[in-house]
C-alpha cells in the first residue's frame, strides 16, 4: 500500500473521532470559534513534541523555511480555521444532512482550485472516481429525494456546507503547497514541520481573536481541557496524516479517498450507537466504495 493511501486512511479515521468531539464540545460552553481554537491550542504542543522527537530520532536538521512556505502556510491555516468554524456551525443546524452533503463538494472544489493555483490536472479516470464518489455521498446524505435536496438549497445549512467545502479546498491546496515548500526529501519531516508551524500560527492568531472578541472563551477552553485535550490529540494525529498525504499526492485525490470517513462515521453509528442502517445508506456505502477502489487503482 502506498504511503499516501495509508496516511489518508489514518487521517480519515482520526477526523471522524475529531468531529464527534467537536459536536460534543460545541454543544456545551464553547462557541464555534472557541471549539475551533481548542482544537489548535491542544494540538500545537503535541505537534511540536512530534517534530522534536522525529528530529532527535532521525538525527535530521530542521530545514530552513523560505517565504513561499510561510505564505502558503498562512493561506492553508486560515482556510482551515474558517472551514472548521463553518462545520461546527453546521452541526447546530436542524438540516445538518444537507449541509454536510454540500460540504463534501470540497473534492471537486479542491480539484478546481488546485488546477488554478498549482496547475495540477486530474485525469479522466480520476474525475470518474470523483463523480462516483459524489453520487455515493448524495445517497449517504439521508436527504429523502431530489425535491428535498432542492428545497434544502435555500437553507442556511447549505451555505455553511458549501462554504466549509470551499475553505477546506483552500486549506488542502494550501497545505500541499506548504509541504512541497519544505526543502527536504523526507515526506514525514515535511509533514511534521508544516504541521508544527501551522498549528502554532493558528493557535496564536485565534487566541488574539478570542481575547479581543470573545474573551470568556479562553477560560472556557481551559475549563473544558479534559475533553478538549483529546480533541487536540486526534486533530494532531489526523492532520499529520493529511499533511503526509499532501506531500505525496494531489490534494483532490487525497480528499477523494478521504471520503471513506463517511463509511467510518456510519460504522460508528451502527456499532457504538446501535442505530439502524437503511437500504439507501447501504447503497451509498457500495457506490462510495466503488469510487474509492477506482481511485486507488487508477493512481
Amino acid at each position: 500500500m502506498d504511503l499516501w493511501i495509508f496516511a489518508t486512511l489514518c487521517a480519515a479515521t482520526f477526523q471522524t473521532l475529531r468531529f464527534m468531539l467537536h459536536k460534543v464540545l460545541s454543544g456545551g460552553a464553547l462557541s464555534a470559534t472557541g471549539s475551533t481554537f481548542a482544537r489548535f491550542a491542544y494540538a500545537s504542543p503535541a505537534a511540536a513534541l512530534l517534530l522534536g522527537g522525529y528530529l532527535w530520532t532521525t538525527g535530521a536538521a530542521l530545514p530552513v523555511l523560505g517565504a513561499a512556505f510561510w505564505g502558503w502556510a498562512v493561506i492553508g491555516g486560515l482556510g482551515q480555521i474558517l472551514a472548521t468554524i463553518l462545520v461546527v456551525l453546521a452541526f447546530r443546524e436542524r438540516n445538518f444532512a444537507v449541509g454536510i452533503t454540500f460540504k463534501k463538494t470540497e473534492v471537486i472544489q479542491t480539484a478546481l482550485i488546485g488546477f488554478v493555483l498549482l496547475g495540477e490536472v486530474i485525469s479522466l479516470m480520476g474525475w470518474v472516481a470523483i463523480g462516483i464518489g459524489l453520487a455515493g455521498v448524495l445517497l449517504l446524505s439521508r436527504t429523502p429525494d431530489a425535491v428535498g435536496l432542492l428545497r434544502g438549497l435555500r437553507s442556511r445549512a447549505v451555505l455553511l456546507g458549501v462554504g466549509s467545502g470551499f475553505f477546506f479546498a483552500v486549506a488542502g491546496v494550501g497545505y500541499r503547497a506548504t509541504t512541497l515548500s519544505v526543502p527536504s526529501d523526507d515526506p514525514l519531516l515535511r509533514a511534521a514541520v508544516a504541521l508544527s508551524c501551522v498549528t502554532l500560527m493558528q493557535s496564536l492568531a485565534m487566541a488574539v481573536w478570542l481575547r479581543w472578541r470573545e474573551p470568556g472563551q479562553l477560560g472556557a477552553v481551559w475549563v473544558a481541557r479534559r475533553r478538549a485535550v483529546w480533541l487536540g490529540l486526534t486533530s494532531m494525529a489526523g492532520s499529520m496524516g493529511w499533511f503526509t498525504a499532501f506531500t505525496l499526492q494531489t490534494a483532490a485525490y487525497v480528499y477523494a479517498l478521504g471520503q471513506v470517513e463517511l463509511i467510518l462515521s456510519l460504522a460508528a453509528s451502527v456499532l457504538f450507537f446501535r442505530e439502524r442502517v437503511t437500504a439507501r445508506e447501504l447503497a451509498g456505502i457500495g457506490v462510495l466504495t466503488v469510487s474509492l477502489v477506482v481511485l486507488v487503482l487508477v493512481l
Side-chain angles (χ1 to χ4, degrees):
M1 180 185 294
D2 290 345
L3 178 58
W4 80 269
I5 295 176
F6 177 75
T8 301
L9 295 178
C10 289
T13 301
F14 283 109
Q15 181 159 294
T16 300
L17 296 172
R18 175 169 62 81
F19 277 137
M20 291 170 63
L21 290 167
H22 260 308
K23 184 172 177 62
V24 171
L25 287 171
S26 65
L30 298 185
S31 66
T33 311
S35 176
T36 303
F37 170 68
R39 168 194 174 179
F40 300 127
Y42 289 104
S44 184
L49 288 174
L50 177 66
L51 174 60
Y54 189 80
L55 291 174
W56 182 77
T57 302
T58 61
L62 187 66
V64 178
L65 305 174
F69 171 89
W70 294 109
W72 284 115
V74 169
I75 292 174
L78 180 60
Q80 188 178 32
I81 288 174
L82 295 174
T84 304
I85 291 173
L86 291 178
V87 165
V88 175
L89 288 173
F91 286 154
R92 299 177 177 179
E93 293 297 312
R94 294 182 63 184
N95 202 2
F96 171 76
V98 176
I100 209 67
T101 297
F102 281 90
K103 179 262 181 189
K104 284 301 177 181
T105 61
E106 66 186 352
V107 180
I108 295 176
Q109 295 188 68
T110 300
L112 296 176
I113 294 175
F115 174 74
V116 172
L117 296 182
L118 303 181
E120 296 182 331
V121 179
I122 305 299
S123 69
L124 176 60
M125 288 306 298
W127 278 114
V128 170
I130 289 173
I132 296 173
L134 182 58
V137 168
L138 292 174
L139 286 171
L140 282 170
S141 70
R142 296 175 182 169
T143 301
D145 49 36
V147 175
L149 185 61
L150 291 174
R151 187 182 301 118
L153 286 171
R154 298 192 298 269
S155 72
R156 183 168 180 263
V158 169
L159 296 178
L160 294 172
V162 173
S164 67
F166 171 77
F167 286 115
F168 271 124
V170 171
V173 173
Y175 285 159
R176 173 160 169 78
T178 301
T179 57
L180 293 179
S181 299
V182 178
S184 173
D185 294 328
D186 184 346
L188 294 179
L189 179 58
R190 282 180 169 182
V193 168
L195 175 62
S196 182
C197 292
V198 168
T199 53
L200 178 59
M201 287 193 302
Q202 289 170 321
S203 299
L204 294 176
M206 291 206 70
V208 172
W209 174 266
L210 287 175
R211 183 66 181 84
W212 176 42
R213 302 294 296 179
E214 301 179 53
Q217 283 298 301
L218 292 175
V221 169
W222 174 250
V223 171
R225 61 188 178 278
R226 291 186 178 180
R227 287 180 175 176
V229 69
W230 293 107
L231 177 64
L233 291 175
T234 55
S235 173
M236 186 277 295
S239 294
M240 185 63 187
W242 292 123
F243 275 71
T244 301
F246 288 146
T247 66
L248 302 169
Q249 187 54 264
T250 301
Y253 289 146
V254 172
Y255 274 159
L257 182 59
Q259 289 185 123
V260 71
E261 166 200 348
L262 294 176
I263 298 176
L264 296 175
S265 297
L266 192 58
S269 176
V270 174
L271 296 176
F272 293 99
F273 300 109
R274 306 299 180 185
E275 297 175 344
R276 298 180 62 182
V277 181
T278 66
R280 181 191 183 95
E281 290 168 335
L282 288 175
I285 290 175
V287 173
L288 188 55
T289 301
V290 169
S291 80
L292 299 179
V293 172
V294 171
L295 185 69
V296 171
L297 291 178
V298 300
L299 296 182

